[in-house]
Amino acid sequence: MRTAVVSRLRPLYEALGLAAGVMVLTITVAYVLGWLTPGLDPLHRRFIAVLVLAVFATVVLVAKDRTILRAGGVEPRLLIIPGIIVLSPFAGGMKDVGFETGSLLVAGYLATGVYEELWFRGMILKSLHTWTPLRSACLSSALFGSAHLSNLAFGADPAVTAAQVIGAACFGFGLAALRLRGTALWPLIALHAVGDIALQFGNMTSAWRWTNMIVSDTCMLIFGLIILRASTGRRSDSSIT
């Protein structure tokens, strides 16, 4: 009996461990950078941190199970709505943020897409492959949202961070649903990175930027629920295992 209970709980423990481990690493990197480079501005500090995390996620995934990188494919019809959602900040045009800042933002958000997709839609979803799609998407997206609490270590505003936690969980649910429907990690990395980049480069007022984020995150949550509806009650798609 005890063995059966432990076996059922193992995916939960593994997912929680993976999420906790990367949060500890993120906070550690933030404080080490703050100690080593006290005069470095927040943008460059975050850039270095996310590069470290992207390399870490890639190395761990390749060492543990590189088949995750090859699993899945691309179903264009499933990417249409998410593509529109992530590109929506460009509806009002683009703003000029300067070459140096723009280059740093693009590189940083590409690294963020690599790190977060490999870890949360790769490693963590793989650990939950015996769960139903809905349950695994809910837990992985909740952990993804909670991971943004580490932004506090970089001096982020607590209220803004709380909003990011909720928004990231909703957006992450849509990405998890795509993964569970058999989408490879690379399109998800692209969607993730483009969405972050668009929010920085889209020509919007602060109020419209927040409105766009709320609407986009809500749409991704609804989209994820819709495409998982046919899979509810079954185990996660075998194409990611």
Side-chain angles (χ1 to χ4, degrees):
M1 177 68 72
R2 184 176 180 180
T3 302
V5 172
V6 171
S7 179
R8 288 199 301 269
L9 292 176
R10 184 174 292 115
L12 174 62
Y13 292 152
E14 185 173 349
L16 291 175
L18 288 168
V22 81
M23 283 187 68
V24 170
L25 176 61
T26 303
I27 294 170
T28 301
V29 170
Y31 281 109
V32 168
L33 286 174
W35 176 63
L36 292 176
T37 58
L40 195 65
D41 64 272
L43 180 60
H44 284 81
R45 192 174 298 165
R46 286 173 179 266
F47 175 70
I48 295 172
V50 78
L51 284 182
V52 171
L53 291 167
V55 171
F56 170 78
T58 302
V59 170
V60 172
L61 189 148
V62 169
K64 185 174 182 180
D65 188 356
R66 66 182 64 191
T67 61
I68 295 175
L69 293 172
R70 300 192 297 268
V74 179
E75 192 171 351
R77 67 184 182 87
L78 287 179
L79 300 178
I80 294 174
I81 292 178
I84 293 172
I85 290 172
V86 300
L87 290 172
S88 61
F90 288 133
M94 293 180 62
K95 62 183 179 183
D96 184 10
V97 299
F99 178 77
E100 182 179 353
T101 299
S103 299
L104 203 63
L105 287 171
V106 169
Y109 283 125
L110 284 173
T112 299
V114 170
Y115 149 57
E116 293 184 341
E117 294 310 308
L118 292 187
W119 202 259
F120 290 92
R121 261 63 69 179
M123 296 281 289
I124 288 180
L125 268 186
K126 176 66 180 289
S127 72
L128 299 170
H129 72 275
T130 57
W131 287 20
T132 63
L134 182 60
R135 288 179 64 202
S136 56
C138 285
L139 179 60
S140 65
S141 58
L143 294 175
F144 176 58
S146 299
H148 288 72
L149 289 171
S150 60
N151 289 340
L152 294 172
F154 291 92
D157 180 84
V160 172
T161 300
Q164 289 177 330
V165 169
I166 297 171
C170 293
F171 193 85
F173 186 93
L175 294 176
L178 283 169
R179 179 64 173 163
L180 291 165
R181 283 290 302 266
T183 303
L185 285 174
W186 306 113
L188 301 186
I189 290 172
L191 285 172
H192 191 145
V194 170
D196 286 342
I197 291 168
L199 284 171
Q200 296 297 323
F201 287 81
N203 188 20
M204 299 181 291
T205 64
S206 178
W208 275 110
R209 185 171 183 269
W210 277 100
T211 300
N212 179 272
M213 287 191 292
I214 292 170
V215 172
S216 296
D217 293 338
T218 303
C219 288
M220 282 295 286
L221 173 62
I222 295 171
F223 169 78
L225 289 169
I226 291 173
I227 66 172
L228 281 185
R229 183 175 59 180
S231 301
T232 300
R234 286 181 279 169
R235 291 185 176 183
S236 302
D237 195 306
S238 60
S239 62
I240 73 166
T241 59

